[in-house]
Amino acid sequence: MFIRKKPNKSGTVSMLVLTTTKNRKQRLVKSFGSAFPNDTAAMEKLMQQASSFIQEMEGPSLPHIYEEEEVIDGFVRTLNNAQVQVIGPELVFGTLFDRIGYDAISNEMFRNIVICRLFTPGQAHQAAHQQPGLQQVAQDGGGGKHQHRHDEV
């Protein structure tokens, strides 16, 4: 937002607060009245009202906070999905898993695949094939005669 002093045909100057839209057009936000340009007290009062309005609408100006946010945003932009490990799904879906009663099955890999399936449907199948000990289980459908155990490292 910015302040514009617009001269009128009557010789007065209107104090306007404008904003620029996405397509670079200016849109009136609020008009604060008008005064004659030689009436400096009235012009100062209108300017002060417009400035206060902009500060109130935009919030306090804290440049050091925005600089820190830019540093953080720059770092986050360099990350990709493979570099981020989310622990949130375990907190939510792990509790659900336990309350349903599946915690009676003491297989950590089963727990992880179920939580993965709940959090990102379609990814559990890929996760099973990425684990060497579960490849045969996935091929057997998990219910075959052969019991395959996932060897922990």
Side-chain angles (χ1 to χ4, degrees), residues 70-91:
E70 289 176 9
V71 171
I72 293 170
D73 286 343
F75 171 73
V76 170
R77 281 190 211 109
T78 64
L79 298 176
N80 61 38
N81 288 343
Q83 295 172 311
V84 178
Q85 179 181 6
V86 180
I87 60 170
E90 171 63 33
L91 296 174

Side-chain angles (χ1 to χ4, degrees), residues 10-38:
S10 64
T12 60
V13 176
S14 294
M15 195 69 62
L16 309 172
V17 172
L18 302 166
T19 186
T20 305
T21 62
K22 291 179 184 176
N23 55 1
R24 297 186 180 187
K25 291 185 179 180
Q26 295 178 354
R27 186 177 59 90
L28 176 66
V29 177
K30 187 171 182 179
S31 174
F32 286 90
S34 61
F36 286 100
N38 57 358

Side-chain angles (χ1 to χ4, degrees), residues 71-121:
V71 171
I72 293 170
D73 286 343
F75 171 73
V76 170
R77 281 190 211 109
T78 64
L79 298 176
N80 61 38
N81 288 343
Q83 295 172 311
V84 178
Q85 179 181 6
V86 180
I87 60 170
E90 171 63 33
L91 296 174
V92 176
F93 295 116
T95 303
L96 179 63
F97 183 90
D98 295 341
R99 286 189 181 180
I100 290 173
Y102 285 152
D103 59 335
I105 303 169
S106 61
N107 185 333
E108 191 65 27
M109 187 56 63
F110 174 70
R111 177 186 181 92
N112 291 338
I113 289 176
V114 169
I115 291 171
C116 180
R117 178 70 178 191
L118 291 171
F119 183 66
T120 53

Side-chain angles (χ1 to χ4, degrees), residues 40-58:
T40 56
M43 291 296 288
E44 278 295 319
K45 183 179 176 186
L46 294 175
M47 179 66 86
Q48 180 60 38
Q49 289 174 350
S51 296
S52 297
F53 175 78
I54 291 174
Q55 286 180 345
E56 184 179 311
M57 295 300 290
E58 292 181 345

